[in-house]
Structure formats: C-alpha cells, structure tokens
C-alpha cells in the first residue's frame, strides 16, 4: 500500500467515519457467517488488520496516523467493493437460473425498501438451510450487503479530503467502474427481484463522488459510451430509486467539470425521440417534435 502523509488526522471527517464503522462491522459479521467466497473476504480483512496491528506493537512500523487511516480505508474498500462484486455475481447467476426455469418474478417479491430488510442479527444467526441459493433469506442477505457496501464506499471517499484522490485511484484500480457499469446495464427484472429499493441511487452517489475533481476517473468514464449514456438516462424519475435524478445530475456536473471530452461528447448528442413513459404522461393531449437543432417542441392537440 502507498503511504500517504499529506493532511492532518484532526481534519478527518468524523461524521462519515462514525457512519462507516458500524456498517463495516455488519458487513464483516455477515461475511464471516457465510459459507461462500464472502467468508474469504471477511478473513482477509481480519488477517490484514491483525497483521498491521502486530507490526505496530512489535515496533516494526512507526505509527503515522494518516498512513494508518489510509491503510484502514484501503482494507475497507477491499471488503466493501469485494462484497458488492461477489453479491452481484451471485444474484446474476440466480437470476439467470430463474429465467431459464421460467419462474415468475412474483414467486420472490421485490424488496420494498431498505427498511424491509432482515436485521443484521437475524442474518448472522440464520441456519445454513435458510441460506440456500435463491431462498428469501439468501436474497435479503445479498440485498442488505449490497446496500451497506455501496454506502460504505461513498462514505470512504468523504472520510478525509486529503486522501480523496488516492482513494478514488485505489477504487479505480480495483475496477470499480467495471462493477458500476454492470449494475447500470442489468435487466430491470434482475434489479427488482434481487436488489432493494434505492440500490441504483447509492450506485449513482458513488459515481458522483468518484468523479469529483478527478480527471483520471472522468477520462475513464468518457471512454465507456454505454456507461456514460446510462448516467445521462438516469436523469429521469425512477420510482424504484428515489433521489437518483439528483445524484445523476451531480455526477454529470462532476464529469463535465474536469473533462473536455465529456462536455464535447454530450454536446454532440441529439434527441432520438420520446420514451413510452413520456408519451403515456402526455396522454395524446399534445403533439411533440424536435427541431433540427434538437430543441424539444410541444403543441396542444386540436
């Protein structure tokens, strides 16, 4: 890990750090109680924490508060992002299995909100049988872990202003954009049946925080046309992801602020037409069209 000594430990965002701690504890506890690759992620986190602590106690490493904080945050990124990736892969396999079997989506109702999730204590104490792939407990465990992991990743980027760029790069090197691009391209049924309400909002929040004053992240984003267009498309209201419009607007602002290529690419876009949802809202009461310059035109039907 790269040692970063810029800044003072007293300038750390104590409010965000206070949010991160309990969430990491929950992620770690659930991972360690699992019987799949999530447990390996939990063991790795514990081992690295213990190894560094032992090195400090033996005097092999001279404690530096900023370096210590950086290392801890890196380990938290490894745990949270690794968990989010693993859960996505598990849900994708389950969704494909259900699709192949022709199961109805209603057989496992979508989670209405993060408040409907089973508590961490129940998730930790459930039996092995409860967590058979595809079971309700298995789905809720994944949904809970996904939401917690995304919340942690966003908070980590706010933990200390002096460490933000290094943490953004660390996540970029850990292929966070690959993960987020998969999330925004997944089928709607996959999202609704296996992820909680607001999950994509948290993903968009992470995109906005990653893109904040970071030209490397934004350059990488601009090269991903499908991902960039997904961010632009997120500016329309999604009832399953309240607040995503606002975070998408923040993300676009941050991307364009430090990327000339992004501004140019977006400027050259032209409207392709109205979505079916927009047509339904208009209800045939208005005639809509686009001018040659791409300006939206609307006129009341006669």
């Amino acid at each position: 890990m790269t040692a970063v000594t810029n800044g003072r430990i007293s300038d750390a965002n104590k409010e965000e750090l206070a949010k991160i701690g309990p969430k990491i504890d929950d992620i770690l506890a659930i991972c360690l109680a699992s019987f799949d690759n999530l447990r390996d992620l939990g063991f790795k986190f514990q081992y690295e924490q213990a190894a560094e602590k032992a090195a400090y106690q033996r005097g092999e490493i001279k404690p530096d508060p900023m370096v210590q904080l950086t290392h801890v945050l890196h380990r938290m990124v490894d745990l949270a992002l690794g968990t989010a990736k693993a859960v996505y892969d598990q849900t994708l396999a389950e969704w494909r299995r259900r699709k192949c079997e022709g199961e109805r989506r209603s057989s496992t109702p979508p989670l209405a909100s993060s408040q409907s999730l089973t508590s961490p204590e129940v998730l930790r104490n459930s039996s092995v049988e409860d967590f058979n792939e595809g079971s309700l407990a298995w789905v809720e465990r994944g949904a809970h872990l996904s939401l917690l992991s995304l919340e942690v990743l966003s908070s980590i980027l706010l933990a200390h202003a002096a460490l933000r760029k290094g943490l953004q790069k660390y996540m970029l090197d850990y292929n966070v954009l690959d993960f987020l691009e998969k999330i925004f391209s997944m089928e709607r049924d996959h999202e609704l049946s296996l992820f909680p309400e607001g999950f994509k909002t948290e993903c968009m929040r992470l995109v906005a925080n990653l893109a904040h004053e970071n030209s490397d992240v934004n350059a990488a984003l601009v090269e991903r046309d499908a991902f960039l267009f997904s961010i632009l498309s997120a500016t329309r209201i999604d009832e399953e992801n309240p607040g995503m419009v606002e975070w998408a607007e923040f993300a676009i602002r941050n991307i364009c602020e430090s990327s000339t290529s992004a501004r140019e690419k977006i400027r050259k876009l032209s409207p392709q037409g109205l979505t079916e949802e927009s047509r339904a809202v208009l209800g045939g009461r208005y005639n809509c069209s686009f001018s040659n310059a791409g300006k939206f035109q609307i006129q009341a039907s006669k």
Side-chain angles (χ1 to χ4, degrees), residues 80-92:
L81 186 51
T83 297
K85 288 180 177 181
V87 170
Y88 171 79
D89 289 341
Q90 290 173 355
T91 63
L92 180 61

Side-chain angles (χ1 to χ4, degrees), residues 93-114:
E94 172 63 16
W95 177 73
R96 286 173 174 168
R97 183 189 68 79
R98 292 182 183 183
K99 191 174 182 181
C100 289
E101 292 179 358
E103 292 184 5
R104 295 174 59 86
R105 190 177 71 185
S106 58
S107 63
T108 302
L111 297 170
S113 69
S114 58

Side-chain angles (χ1 to χ4, degrees), residues 254-265:
N254 289 343
I255 293 167
C256 291
E257 186 177 44
S258 61
S259 174
T260 303
S261 298
R263 293 195 296 271
E264 186 65 16
K265 183 170 285 190

Side-chain angles (χ1 to χ4, degrees), residues 163-216:
L163 301 180
R164 187 180 64 245
K165 283 191 181 296
L167 291 166
Q168 288 168 325
K169 183 180 186 307
Y170 190 80
M171 291 187 192
L172 188 63
D173 291 343
Y174 198 171
N175 300 319
V176 66
L177 295 185
D178 289 345
F179 165 71
L180 290 168
E181 187 168 12
K182 288 178 183 177
I183 293 298
F184 285 107
S185 64
M186 71 176 164
E187 295 284 347
R188 186 67 161 174
D189 182 54
H190 179 186
E191 175 194 353
L192 296 181
S193 59
L194 294 167
F195 288 94
E197 179 184 291
F199 176 65
K200 279 190 175 179
T201 299
E202 280 301 322
C203 290
M204 190 60 72
R205 178 187 172 208
L206 179 57
V207 172
N209 287 334
L210 280 167
H212 181 62
E213 296 181 351
N214 193 302
S215 56
D216 292 335

Side-chain angles (χ1 to χ4, degrees), residues 8-268:
R8 299 177 302 174
I9 195 67
S10 59
D11 293 330
N13 188 330
K14 297 178 179 60
E15 182 179 348
E16 290 299 328
L17 290 175
K19 294 178 184 176
I20 294 172
K23 292 176 182 178
I24 282 290
D25 289 343
D26 278 346
I27 293 172
L28 183 60
I30 296 170
C31 284
L32 291 173
S34 301
F35 293 88
D36 48 30
N37 57 341
L38 292 175
R39 174 180 277 192
D40 295 337
L41 291 169
F43 282 145
K44 177 178 180 290
F45 180 86
Q46 283 190 319
Y47 172 78
E48 291 177 350
Q49 288 275 85
E52 186 169 50
K53 182 178 180 180
Y56 283 128
Q57 290 175 339
R58 291 194 301 267
E60 296 174 5
I61 302 175
K62 184 178 180 180
D64 179 313
M66 287 297 288
V67 173
Q68 284 182 291
L69 178 60
T70 301
H71 289 179
V72 170
L73 292 174
H74 282 183
R75 285 193 288 271
M76 289 179 174
V77 170
D78 292 346
L79 178 62
L81 186 51
T83 297
K85 288 180 177 181
V87 170
Y88 171 79
D89 289 341
Q90 290 173 355
T91 63
L92 180 61
E94 172 63 16
W95 177 73
R96 286 173 174 168
R97 183 189 68 79
R98 292 182 183 183
K99 191 174 182 181
C100 289
E101 292 179 358
E103 292 184 5
R104 295 174 59 86
R105 190 177 71 185
S106 58
S107 63
T108 302
L111 297 170
S113 69
S114 58
Q115 282 71 36
S116 71
L117 299 176
T118 306
S119 68
E121 289 75 17
V122 173
L123 291 171
R124 293 173 195 150
N125 298 326
S126 297
S127 67
V128 177
E129 290 77 10
D130 290 338
F131 282 107
N132 289 331
E133 286 191 15
S135 68
L136 182 58
W138 182 87
V139 170
E140 290 199 340
R141 181 198 69 169
H144 186 68
L145 282 174
S146 296
L147 205 57
L148 279 179
S149 297
L150 268 295
E151 289 172 352
V152 165
L153 290 170
S154 286
S155 289
I156 284 173
L157 292 175
L158 303 175
H160 200 300
L163 301 180
R164 187 180 64 245
K165 283 191 181 296
L167 291 166
Q168 288 168 325
K169 183 180 186 307
Y170 190 80
M171 291 187 192
L172 188 63
D173 291 343
Y174 198 171
N175 300 319
V176 66
L177 295 185
D178 289 345
F179 165 71
L180 290 168
E181 187 168 12
K182 288 178 183 177
I183 293 298
F184 285 107
S185 64
M186 71 176 164
E187 295 284 347
R188 186 67 161 174
D189 182 54
H190 179 186
E191 175 194 353
L192 296 181
S193 59
L194 294 167
F195 288 94
E197 179 184 291
F199 176 65
K200 279 190 175 179
T201 299
E202 280 301 322
C203 290
M204 190 60 72
R205 178 187 172 208
L206 179 57
V207 172
N209 287 334
L210 280 167
H212 181 62
E213 296 181 351
N214 193 302
S215 56
D216 292 335
V217 170
N218 293 327
L221 273 168
V222 172
E223 294 300 316
R224 299 166 180 257
D225 285 350
F227 192 6
L228 184 60
F229 296 154
S230 292
I231 296 171
L232 294 172
S233 298
T235 54
R236 64 182 183 182
I237 294 174
D238 180 350
E239 292 182 356
E240 298 297 330
N241 292 286
M244 188 161 71
V245 170
E246 291 77 11
W247 281 114
E249 290 173 350
F250 272 121
I252 294 166
R253 171 196 172 278
N254 289 343
I255 293 167
C256 291
E257 186 177 44
S258 61
S259 174
T260 303
S261 298
R263 293 195 296 271
E264 186 65 16
K265 183 170 285 190
I266 292 173
R267 187 183 67 80
K268 290 180 178 179

